[in-house]
Amino acid sequence: MNNGAIRNNINNDKIIIFDTTLRDGEQSPGASLNIKEKLQIAEQLAKLNVDVIEAGFPVASKGDFEAVRKVAQEIEGPVIAGLARSTKGDIERAWEAVQYAKRPRIHTFIATSDIHMKYKLKKERPEVLDMAREAVSFAVSLCPDVEFSAEDAFRSDREFLCQVIELAIDAGAGTINIPDTVGYAIPSEFGALIKLICEKVPNVSRAILSCHCHNDLGLGVANSLAAIQNGVLQVECTMNGLGERAGNAALEEVVMSIKTREDLFHKHTGIITQEIYKTSKMVSHLTGMMVQRNKAIVGENAFAHESGIHQDGVLKEKTTYEIMTPESIGLKQSRLVLGKHSGRHAFSNRLSEMGYTLSSENLDKAFQRFKELADKKKEVFDEELQAIVEDEIYAVPENFVLDYIHITSGNKTIPTATVILKRNSEILMDSACGDGPVDAAYKTIDRLTGMPGSLQSYSINAVAGGKDAMGEVIIKVKIGERTFTGRGISTDVIVASAKAYLNAINKAVYRNEGKGKG
Ligand code: KIV
Ligand code: ZN
């Protein structure tokens, strides 16, 4: 579809959801993803039915380029976009990566605020105008679908901004994106800016207007909604609100606001909202960025009613305190699914009901893990199945495998760990003391792998309810110059901690072998 076709097909009631979890979201400090993880998220974003996936910034690194190329080659459905500054080299590299998509898009940008032009670009307005024109024209010569962003648009001089937009549309940009790059706007002001652009830019009807609102004042979603009320048809957002600094507008909040307040917006999106919860969980697992409990839509407490008055109200009539149902985002009541007598067939059936299709090899591995768990605890819940499956599907190859761990610990004992790891046919064994059982385990693993890590963060959560629930440990570990996220699950928190640490080390090995991000 070329820009002309996109414009002719404009449906003024539909808000285009442009997901930038893999680009702006991945720029969140500590949220870096390897290629395999990016592909998995992209696959899920396609199931969520986003309209556009911004898969990365191809010129930024070899790994970014590879990830965008793979997403373009393998993910069907959404438009696949690659970001590029307004230079020939960036745009060529973006095209090299996205050209394989059925519907590729080049997204090129240049800063238009005085502060960015003076201090960052060190360029005057006429030069920026020329660069924007040349960039869009060049991008259009390669790719039929081109988006142009005026970086820091909200702090830009209004007249100059309108001039850049007009010129970019004349050069062939089919989408014009208006970012609030530093999250400075207040909703009434941001809405007014969109209105002004609609009124002042003479050729504005030839392009789709878009917004991209950062969340520095916690107003990313509010500003995006104000933009919709004033004429944008595309919203750029990320799952769980990930992104530079305080993040971007959260996709789930934008989408559920439009859906829940359809009476006000009179708009809809193409998002399959029942996929929201699963996508949120996946993004949080893979990036290691936990979702806060009281986060709107996808937080653990979002549908929990604590006070007696609220519980009483909800039991009598759900709508007393619930403005949307948990089912609408794909959150089902924790359901006891299987026990230790359940067979492979029942296990595989339940997984397909939950939306997972596993290769026979992954199914075998996941079933083995399930059996081990069912032997330890009577009841296995959906959340625990999800954790096991995601562990299997999304695992990087296990260079080091935990075979045995024994800990001695107590208030009058020096914490000591003995660990056995397997590396292919090699057996590695050692023990070490530490400040606590987890520290002792990590010190031993450091000695065994020869890849010492420094622990940056550690968090533990119960996967489902109950005293015997599995624990999920998510850590960030600095190994060499890079930080890796590690995740481990087990009914034993020390085992989960050791697995999380090995997971981070295995990711570092995977990357060093050139298969992760470059
Ligand atoms: O925040 C921003 O301005 C951006 C642009 C590159 C769209 O991320
Ligand atoms: Zn941004």
Side-chain angles (χ1 to χ4, degrees):
M1 191 188 285
N2 63 27
N3 280 335
I6 290 170
R7 282 195 294 270
N8 292 339
N9 277 350
I10 289 178
N11 168 355
N12 285 321
D13 296 335
K14 184 180 172 195
I15 298 299
I16 298 164
I17 297 296
F18 176 116
D19 180 279
T20 182
T21 307
L22 297 179
R23 199 277 298 167
D24 210 317
E26 209 231 2
Q27 285 171 224
S28 301
S32 128
L33 296 160
N34 63 40
I35 293 175
K36 201 169 168 212
E37 293 165 334
K38 281 194 166 190
L39 260 179
Q40 282 146 5
I41 291 178
E43 222 170 84
Q44 181 57 30
L45 290 172
K47 283 192 194 154
L48 182 66
N49 207 27
V50 303
D51 300 285
V52 185
I53 294 176
E54 184 163 56
F57 191 1
V59 85
S61 71
K62 207 165 151 255
D64 252 55
F65 175 84
E66 275 308 317
V68 179
R69 189 169 64 94
K70 273 236 155 28
V71 170
Q73 281 170 332
E74 293 184 21
I75 304 299
E76 287 192 13
V79 169
I80 308 298
L83 186 68
R85 287 167 300 188
S86 285
T87 66
K88 206 163 175 237
D90 271 36
I91 293 168
E92 272 168 348
R93 195 75 175 138
W95 176 239
E96 260 180 76
V98 295
Q99 62 177 315
Y100 303 96
K102 281 220 175 84
R103 295 192 293 152
R105 174 178 294 187
I106 295 177
H107 175 192
T108 184
F109 73 98
I110 192 161
T112 53
S113 65
D114 288 340
I115 191 164
H116 274 231
M117 289 188 291
K118 179 169 176 197
Y119 295 104
K120 190 180 78 173
L121 300 179
K122 300 192 188 330
K123 292 194 190 307
E124 299 292 330
R125 289 183 184 184
E127 211 180 334
V128 168
L129 284 177
D130 284 345
M131 283 179 75
R133 184 190 302 104
E134 277 165 29
V136 174
S137 307
F138 181 55
V140 168
S141 75
L142 301 173
C143 180
D145 181 355
V146 172
E147 170 169 336
F148 172 76
S149 282
E151 192 191 9
D152 205 16
F154 183 73
R155 292 193 299 171
S156 301
D157 173 79
R158 299 300 185 246
E159 212 171 299
F160 180 62
L161 178 64
C162 288
Q163 215 182 336
V164 181
I165 295 172
E166 183 181 351
L167 165 156
I169 296 173
D170 273 342
T175 302
I176 297 291
N177 183 38
I178 311 299
D180 179 16
T181 302
V182 291
Y184 183 69
I186 302 297
S188 54
E189 288 176 302
F190 198 69
L193 171 61
I194 301 299
K195 187 163 181 276
L196 178 111
I197 292 168
C198 290
E199 286 166 359
K200 293 266 186 271
V201 176
N203 55 3
V204 72
S205 63
R206 280 167 41 205
I208 289 172
L209 273 191
S210 164
C211 65
H212 176 111
C213 298
H214 277 270
N215 206 30
D216 299 64
L217 292 173
L219 294 170
V221 171
N223 286 336
S224 305
L225 296 176
I228 290 173
Q229 289 181 308
N230 285 280
V232 307
L233 287 179
Q234 173 177 288
V235 174
E236 301 199 354
C237 45
T238 57
M239 211 56 221
N240 299 341
L242 294 183
E244 281 277 7
R245 307 179 309 278
N248 288 70
L251 179 149
E252 63 278 12
E253 295 177 24
V254 171
V255 168
M256 291 312 284
S257 296
I258 296 170
K259 186 177 164 86
T260 309
R261 296 307 311 276
E262 211 246 321
D263 61 313
L264 181 74
F265 293 107
H266 304 293
K267 305 276 182 210
H268 65 273
T269 69
I271 295 296
I272 299 171
T273 60
Q274 290 76 8
E275 292 289 328
I276 284 180
Y277 187 69
K278 193 169 159 197
T279 316
S280 161
K281 277 266 178 213
M282 180 189 288
V283 168
S284 137
H285 280 156
L286 294 180
T287 57
M289 303 284 282
M290 305 287 278
V291 171
Q292 80 199 47
R293 285 182 86 96
N294 62 336
K295 161 90 179 59
I297 318 294
V298 291
E300 214 169 297
N301 292 355
F303 293 95
H305 303 280
E306 180 70 19
S307 93
I309 296 173
H310 287 209
Q311 286 173 352
D312 181 55
V314 169
L315 285 175
K316 287 178 177 146
E317 168 55 46
K318 280 190 174 172
T319 53
T320 50
Y321 288 102
E322 266 183 17
I323 58 167
M324 59 200 145
T325 64
E327 290 78 17
S328 65
I329 62 149
L331 182 61
K332 298 187 187 86
Q333 282 295 328
S334 195
R335 210 150 67 82
L336 167 66
V337 274
L338 304 164
K340 69 176 180 183
H341 300 297
S342 309
R344 196 174 183 281
H345 188 62
F347 177 74
S348 140
N349 269 352
R350 183 63 200 136
L351 291 188
S352 6
E353 277 168 30
M354 289 167 70
Y356 291 108
T357 328
L358 268 65
S359 68
S360 159
E361 190 193 342
N362 279 336
L363 186 65
D364 284 346
K365 284 202 225 157
F367 183 60
Q368 183 62 33
R369 295 268 302 264
F370 156 71
K371 278 295 198 190
E372 285 163 16
L373 179 65
D375 268 345
K376 285 192 195 141
K377 67 193 295 268
K378 272 207 316 261
E379 305 173 327
V380 178
F381 292 90
D382 278 353
E383 293 91 328
E384 291 171 309
L385 280 190
Q386 183 177 1
I388 289 176
V389 168
E390 296 198 344
D391 223 32
E392 285 308 331
I393 312 180
Y394 306 136
V396 290
E398 285 191 293
N399 192 60
F400 295 103
V401 181
L402 182 68
D403 186 47
Y404 171 93
I405 179 161
H406 177 81
I407 301 282
T408 46
S409 180
N411 65 343
K412 301 255 165 89
T413 314
I414 295 173
T416 311
T418 305
V419 177
I420 301 180
L421 301 182
K422 279 190 186 157
R423 184 182 205 177
N424 302 321
S425 55
E426 204 183 348
I427 304 284
L428 310 163
M429 181 167 73
D430 207 340
S431 61
C433 305
D435 288 336
V438 172
D439 187 48
Y442 288 3
K443 287 206 166 101
T444 316
I445 293 172
D446 280 350
R447 280 156 65 151
L448 289 172
T449 59
M451 294 180 73
S454 124
L455 191 64
Q456 309 288 300
S457 70
Y458 176 101
S459 69
I460 182 158
N461 261 302
V463 173
K467 276 189 191 155
D468 61 353
M470 282 206 300
E472 176 188 51
V473 171
I474 294 183
I475 57 174
K476 302 254 180 223
V477 190
K478 192 157 185 222
I479 301 167
E481 286 307 301
R482 292 191 179 276
T483 299
F484 296 87
T485 301
R487 176 172 169 266
I489 50 170
S490 170
T491 46
D492 181 318
V493 295
I494 303 295
V495 175
S497 304
K499 283 184 169 176
Y501 199 66
L502 278 172
N503 182 233
I505 290 173
N506 283 328
K507 282 184 182 173
V509 174
Y510 184 65
R511 184 178 189 119
N512 291 346
E513 285 171 353
K515 295 177 191 128
K517 228 180 123 163

Coordinates of all heavy atoms in Angstrom, one line a residue, residues 20 23-24 27 179-181 212 214 244 248, ligand 2:
T20 N 5.7 1.1 19.7 CA 7.2 1.3 19.6 C 7.9 0.7 20.8 O 9.0 1.1 21.2 CB 7.5 2.8 19.4 OG1 8.9 2.9 19.3 CG2 7.0 3.7 20.5
R23 N 11.4 -0.3 20.0 CA 12.3 0.8 19.7 C 12.4 1.7 20.9 O 13.3 1.7 21.7 CB 11.9 1.5 18.4 CG 13.0 2.3 17.7 CD 13.2 3.7 18.3 NE 12.0 4.5 18.1 CZ 11.9 5.7 18.8 NH1 12.8 6.1 19.6 NH2 10.8 6.4 18.6
D24 N 11.4 2.6 21.0 CA 11.5 3.6 22.2 C 11.5 2.8 23.5 O 12.2 3.1 24.5 CB 10.3 4.5 22.1 CG 10.7 5.9 22.7 OD1 11.3 5.9 23.7 OD2 10.3 6.9 22.1
Q27 N 14.6 1.4 24.6 CA 15.5 2.4 25.1 C 15.4 2.7 26.6 O 16.1 3.5 27.2 CB 15.3 3.7 24.3 CG 15.8 3.7 22.9 CD 15.5 4.9 22.0 OE1 15.1 4.7 20.8 NE2 15.5 6.1 22.5
P179 N 5.7 14.6 18.2 CA 6.2 14.1 19.5 C 6.2 15.2 20.6 O 6.6 16.3 20.3 CB 7.6 13.6 19.3 CG 7.8 13.6 17.8 CD 6.9 14.7 17.3
D180 N 5.8 14.8 21.8 CA 6.2 15.6 23.0 C 7.4 14.8 23.6 O 7.2 14.0 24.5 CB 5.0 15.7 24.0 CG 5.4 16.5 25.2 OD1 6.4 17.2 25.2 OD2 4.6 16.3 26.2
T181 N 8.5 15.1 23.0 CA 9.7 14.3 23.3 C 10.1 14.3 24.7 O 10.7 13.3 25.2 CB 10.9 14.8 22.4 OG1 10.4 14.7 21.0 CG2 12.2 14.1 22.6
H212 N 3.1 11.2 19.8 CA 4.1 10.4 20.4 C 4.4 11.1 21.7 O 5.2 12.0 21.8 CB 5.3 10.3 19.5 CG 6.5 9.5 20.0 ND1 6.9 8.3 19.5 CD2 7.3 9.8 21.0 CE1 7.9 7.9 20.2 NE2 8.3 8.8 21.1
H214 N 5.7 11.4 25.6 CA 6.4 10.9 26.7 C 5.8 11.2 28.0 O 4.9 12.1 28.1 CB 7.9 11.3 26.6 CG 8.7 10.5 25.6 ND1 9.3 9.3 26.1 CD2 8.8 10.5 24.3 CE1 9.9 8.8 25.0 NE2 9.6 9.5 23.9
E244 N 12.0 5.8 26.9 CA 13.1 6.7 27.4 C 12.6 7.3 28.7 O 11.4 7.7 28.9 CB 13.3 7.8 26.4 CG 14.2 7.4 25.3 CD 15.7 7.5 25.6 OE1 16.0 7.7 26.8 OE2 16.5 7.3 24.7
N248 N 6.7 6.1 27.7 CA 5.8 6.6 26.7 C 4.3 6.4 27.2 O 4.1 5.7 28.2 CB 5.9 5.9 25.4 CG 7.2 6.2 24.6 OD1 8.3 5.9 25.1 ND2 7.1 6.9 23.6
Ligands
ZN2 ZN 10.2 8.9 22.0

